[in-house]
Amino acid sequence: MNKKVLHCLMLLALMPVAAHAEYPNMSQEQMQNMMEQAQKMQACFSQADPAAMQKMAEQGQAFQAEISAMCKSGDRDGAQERAMAYAKEMMNDKAFQVMKKCGEEMAQTMPQMNMVKDYSDAKQGHVCDNH
């Protein structure tokens, strides 16, 4: 089994323990609801092709290395252009679309967990400022 898939399954399995630690006054009903939502999330992520997910992860690592090198060499404009092009590529990637959909569903069904931050109000910075 893919390490990333195994990692996600472990996180899902430990979610009730983490939730109880974070929210000790959570009722049995709330805990059950959270577990149901976690199962829905797992089902959503299982729709993604594992080979495509692995390829996306590898491409992401290569992209990070490329951007980091461009930033270190002083090519800030080139790095920013490459980041924008990569973002457009990702928006058309089917595996990414599955991940995005699952993440959005998780944010809607489990807002109390604050697992997904909303960065929509944050100013868009330069890609090199994150390295």
Side-chain angles (χ1 to χ4, degrees):
M1 184 179 289
N2 183 325
K3 279 186 178 182
K4 291 181 189 232
V5 172
L6 183 59
H7 181 73
C8 287
L9 292 175
M10 290 288 291
L11 287 174
L12 288 173
L14 294 174
M15 190 177 285
V17 175
H20 184 67
E22 177 103 12
Y23 305 100
N25 297 325
M26 185 180 282
S27 71
Q28 184 68 26
E29 182 181 336
Q30 290 170 318
M31 184 70 73
Q32 181 65 31
N33 184 42
M34 185 184 67
M35 288 302 300
E36 289 171 8
Q37 298 305 325
Q39 289 172 343
K40 287 179 184 177
M41 184 177 66
Q42 181 182 4
C44 186
F45 282 114
S46 71
Q47 296 172 17
D49 175 18
M53 298 301 288
Q54 181 65 33
K55 181 180 175 186
M56 187 172 68
E58 291 168 1
Q59 288 174 334
Q61 290 174 343
F63 167 74
Q64 287 293 332
E66 179 184 357
I67 293 298
S68 183
M70 292 174 84
C71 291
K72 286 178 184 174
S73 72
D75 187 7
R76 288 177 59 89
D77 291 339
Q80 189 72 14
E81 287 177 24
R82 177 65 182 109
M84 296 302 289
Y86 183 75
K88 287 178 184 176
E89 290 171 25
M90 292 307 302
M91 294 307 287
N92 293 321
D93 184 273
K94 289 182 182 180
F96 179 78
Q97 291 172 358
V98 169
M99 293 292 290
K100 184 176 182 247
K101 181 186 109 198
C102 294
E104 289 169 351
E105 288 176 9
M106 186 176 84
Q108 290 173 359
T109 59
M110 300 175 73
Q112 73 277 9
M113 296 297 289
N114 289 328
M115 297 177 89
V116 179
K117 290 189 175 189
D118 180 13
Y119 294 103
S120 60
D121 291 335
K123 286 187 176 181
Q124 196 69 5
H126 195 282
V127 69
C128 290
D129 295 341
N130 295 325
H131 289 272

